[in-house]
């Protein structure tokens, strides 16, 4: 059985660091497994195989984003119920989010599976690459309900403050994938399809780990009731749908950046591709921040601990500043090694060095945006997160990179992105802090009004 709301007690900084570190480790494991996947397939000596997985990954990013969005709803709803001390409501919300996720992901698979060849063709896959990508994706998409269950299970465990077991689901999935990849690709001679089968099995291993943690350790699944499910669909969708839209903004920003970068030639495109691979590994602790702060805020909001909610925000900023300061210094020191290991040309090397020297610290301001997204997703205004992230991806990207690239060339694209991160990070953080203050003042007014009514009843 779940214990008391442990995130409402103890050091908020300790909670932020622990939840972020475990989340970052799981994310980095996923990114590293993707790199290993590509490495094994490149050993086949068939460029179409690598290209096929590249095309398929674009579609898989979309399906995984949907799973992450529903897991955000699970974390927000369960953590608030736990903070209120209503364990039965938390169990009900947990089983209903899982039911919602299974139904939703199954519907996506049913709609997506027959259209896979047409979708891949529309994004540029042709010939043998199209055939390989279709076979790969048709196997992998079948595992979307498993990914959904695994992500929701991890979200429920984070809502309880059990970030360690939430990390295990991702970690075990990554390890299973890495072990099975060479067996299915080389030993069984299945090539790209072997990589897909290995990934599919890995996703079911995530389900097993999540199920063990949620059901056997925490005993967090209540009995399914259809009327309760229909009652909970609205709050689940209210958080999930904006979170899905929020997740879609990142590929939009990347597409805008890549389109502008292409006009500066292959060296610039290669540099941006290298930076894109470095960012998730170096700044994984920042990307995990939103998922870490969310359950801490949720439990304390449920418990009415606004003092701790303000403290959580401050602790998150301290963590992000320290993390960025350390990792940006390391990145600055390692820039020559990065240029060497990726065999960067002179033009690419200049952009990589510019990013490592001048632009990388802008991720601190991006972390402020992630904190704001956590606030709005978990405290009842998820559409604010969507507006902020789409704002950064559009007016915080396109006009700025266009302007600065006129004066700075390709470096202006990186600098424009950084300026956009500063603007929207500060804007998001300011509005998020004000929103918490508004909630606190509203609760105080409600308490005064309630006491006044009781006094009148006594009289």
């Amino acid at each position: 059985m779940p214990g008391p709301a442990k995130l409402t007690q103890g050091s908020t900084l300790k909670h932020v660091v622990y939840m972020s570190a475990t989340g970052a480790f799981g994310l980095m494991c996923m990114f590293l497994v993707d790199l290993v996947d590509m490495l094994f397939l490149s050993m086949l000596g068939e460029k179409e195989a690598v290209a096929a997985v590249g095309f398929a990954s674009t579609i898989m990013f979309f399906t995984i984003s949907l799973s992450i969005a529903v897991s955000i709803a699970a974390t927000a709803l369960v953590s608030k119920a736990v903070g209120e001390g209503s364990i039965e409501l938390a169990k009900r919300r947990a089983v209903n989010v899982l039911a919602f996720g299974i139904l939703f992901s199954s519907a996506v698979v049913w709609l997506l599976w027959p259209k896979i060849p047409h979708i891949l063709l529309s994004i540029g896959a042709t010939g043998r690459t199209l055939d390989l990508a279709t076979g790969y994706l048709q196997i992998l998409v079948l595992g979307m309900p498993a990914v959904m269950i695994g992500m929701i299970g991890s979200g429920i465990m984070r809502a309880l403050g059990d970030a360690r077991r939430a990390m295990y689901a991702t970690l075990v999935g990554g390890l299973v994938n890495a072990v099975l990849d060479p067996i299915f690709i080389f030993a069984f001679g299945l090539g790209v399809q072997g990589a897909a089968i290995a990934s599919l099995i890995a996703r079911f291993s995530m389900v097993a780990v999540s199920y063990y943690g949620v059901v056997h350790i925490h005993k967090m699944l209540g009995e399914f009731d259809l009327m309760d499910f229909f009652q909970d669909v609205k709050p689940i969708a209210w958080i999930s749908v904006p979170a899905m839209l929020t997740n879609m903004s990142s590929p939009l920003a990347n597409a805008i950046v890549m389109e502008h970068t292409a006009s500066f030639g292959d060296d610039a495109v290669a540099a941006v591709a290298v930076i894109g691979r470095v960012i998730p590994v170096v700044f994984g602790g920042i990307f995990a921040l939103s998922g870490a702060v969310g359950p801490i805020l949720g439990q304390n909001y449920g418990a009415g601990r606004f003092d701790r909610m303000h403290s959580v925000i401050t602790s998150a900023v301290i963590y992000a500043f320290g993390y960025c300061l350390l990792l940006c210094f390391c990145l600055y020191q390692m820039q020559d090694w990065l240029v060497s290991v990726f065999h960067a040309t002179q033009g690419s090397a200049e952009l990589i060095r510019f990013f490592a020297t001048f632009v990388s610290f802008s991720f601190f301001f991006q972390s402020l945006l992630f904190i704001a997204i956590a606030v709005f997703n978990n405290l009842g205004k998820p559409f604010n997160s969507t507006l902020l992230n789409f704002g950064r991806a559009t007016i915080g990207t396109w006009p700025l990179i266009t302007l600065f690239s006129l004066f700075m060339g390709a470096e202006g694209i990186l600098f424009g992105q950084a300026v956009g991160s500063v603007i929207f990070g500060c804007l998001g953080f300011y509005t998020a802090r004000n929103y918490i203050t508004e909630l606190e003042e509203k609760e105080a007014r409600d308490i005064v009004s309630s006491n006044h009514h009781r006094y009148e009843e006594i009289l």
Side-chain angles (χ1 to χ4, degrees):
M1 289 289 290
K6 65 180 183 180
L7 299 178
T8 62
Q9 304 161 14
S11 166
T12 56
L13 181 59
K14 182 179 176 182
H15 288 318
V16 168
V17 172
Y18 176 68
M19 300 281 281
S20 297
T22 49
F25 193 74
L27 282 175
M28 289 177 187
C29 179
M30 287 178 66
F31 291 129
L32 288 171
V33 167
D34 284 343
L35 288 174
V36 170
D37 232 5
M38 297 295 282
L39 176 65
F40 284 138
L41 289 171
S42 67
M43 292 177 183
L44 294 172
E46 188 179 11
K47 65 179 182 180
E48 290 87 354
V50 178
V53 174
F55 280 114
S57 296
T58 306
I59 312 302
M60 286 311 301
F61 178 85
F62 167 73
T63 62
I64 290 171
S65 294
L66 298 181
S67 300
I68 291 171
V70 181
S71 77
I72 289 170
T75 301
L77 295 172
V78 173
S79 64
K80 185 173 184 291
V82 170
E84 291 170 348
S86 180
I87 300 303
E88 289 307 312
L89 178 60
K91 289 181 177 183
R92 186 185 106 183
R93 291 276 167 84
V95 75
N96 287 338
V97 175
L98 272 169
F100 178 90
I102 292 168
L103 290 171
F104 177 72
S105 58
S106 299
V108 172
V109 172
W110 182 72
L111 290 169
L112 185 63
W113 198 89
K115 297 180 176 63
I116 284 173
H118 306 290
I119 295 170
L120 289 168
L121 188 63
S122 69
I123 62 173
T126 57
R128 176 158 172 76
T129 299
L130 174 60
D131 293 337
L132 290 172
T134 299
Y136 179 86
L137 201 52
Q138 284 181 334
I139 293 171
L140 213 50
V141 161
L142 295 175
M144 186 183 171
V147 174
M148 183 71 77
I149 294 168
M151 291 283 190
I152 293 171
S154 293
I156 292 168
M157 286 187 282
R158 279 197 302 273
L160 299 171
D162 191 356
R164 179 168 54 88
R165 285 192 180 87
M167 174 191 70
Y168 286 163
T170 311
L171 186 61
V172 168
L175 290 174
V176 169
N177 203 345
V179 170
L180 293 183
D181 258 345
I183 296 172
F184 281 92
I185 293 171
F186 301 114
F188 294 164
L190 295 174
V192 172
Q193 286 192 338
I197 294 169
S199 296
L200 186 63
I201 295 171
R203 283 161 191 209
F204 281 102
S205 73
M206 286 177 60
V207 174
V209 175
S210 296
Y211 181 85
Y212 179 78
V214 172
V215 176
H216 289 281
I217 301 297
H218 293 292
K219 296 179 172 54
M220 268 302 293
L221 288 190
E223 290 185 11
F224 179 77
D225 182 277
L226 192 60
M227 296 308 296
D228 286 342
F229 174 73
F230 286 133
Q231 191 176 340
D232 286 341
V233 162
K234 184 178 178 180
I236 293 168
W238 175 252
I239 298 171
S240 298
V241 173
M244 290 172 194
L245 296 173
T246 302
N247 289 341
M248 292 300 105
S249 64
S250 294
L252 174 63
N254 291 339
I256 293 170
V257 168
M258 195 54 74
E259 181 188 4
H260 278 72
T261 304
S263 64
F264 291 94
D266 291 342
D267 284 354
V269 171
V272 169
V274 169
I275 292 166
R277 284 181 173 86
V278 168
I279 285 171
V281 176
V282 174
F283 294 105
I286 295 300
F287 291 129
L289 192 58
S290 183
V293 171
I296 308 173
L297 284 171
Q299 282 197 14
N300 284 284
Y301 182 44
R305 293 294 306 274
F306 288 95
D307 57 325
R308 285 182 62 82
M309 290 165 69
H310 288 294
S311 177
V312 168
I313 300 301
T314 303
S315 296
V317 173
I318 293 169
Y319 162 81
F321 184 82
Y323 183 97
C324 286
L325 202 62
L326 176 62
L327 270 294
C328 289
F329 177 76
C330 292
L331 192 60
Y332 174 78
Q333 294 295 323
M334 293 172 64
Q335 59 184 284
D336 291 333
W337 178 80
L338 286 173
V339 167
S340 173
V341 78
F342 283 102
H343 306 290
T345 61
Q346 183 178 348
S348 296
E350 288 175 1
L351 278 177
I352 293 169
R353 289 193 175 97
F354 182 77
F355 173 80
T357 304
F358 300 108
V359 174
S360 58
F361 195 74
S362 65
F363 274 85
F364 167 69
F365 295 94
Q366 197 154 324
S367 73
L368 299 182
L369 181 59
F370 292 152
I371 294 168
I373 287 170
V375 169
F376 291 123
N377 278 344
N378 287 272
L379 304 183
K381 282 204 172 180
F383 276 102
N384 284 25
S385 299
T386 305
L387 291 173
L388 282 169
N389 232 22
F390 264 97
R392 182 188 63 85
T394 52
I395 60 175
T397 300
W398 181 77
L400 293 169
I401 65 176
T402 303
L403 175 65
F404 285 107
S405 63
L406 289 174
F407 303 102
M408 301 172 64
E411 291 178 348
I413 293 174
L414 299 178
F415 190 75
Q417 272 189 293
V419 172
S421 293
V422 172
I423 293 170
F424 276 86
C426 293
L427 175 65
F429 186 75
Y430 173 78
T431 55
R433 290 213 82 143
N434 282 354
Y435 178 56
I436 292 176
T437 302
E438 286 174 17
L439 289 175
E440 186 175 13
E441 290 171 352
K442 180 179 180 298
E443 175 130 328
R445 287 195 301 269
D446 289 345
I447 290 171
V448 170
S449 176
S450 176
N451 289 338
H452 180 69
H453 284 308
R454 286 178 185 172
Y455 179 72
E456 287 182 338
E457 286 174 3
I458 293 170
L459 292 177

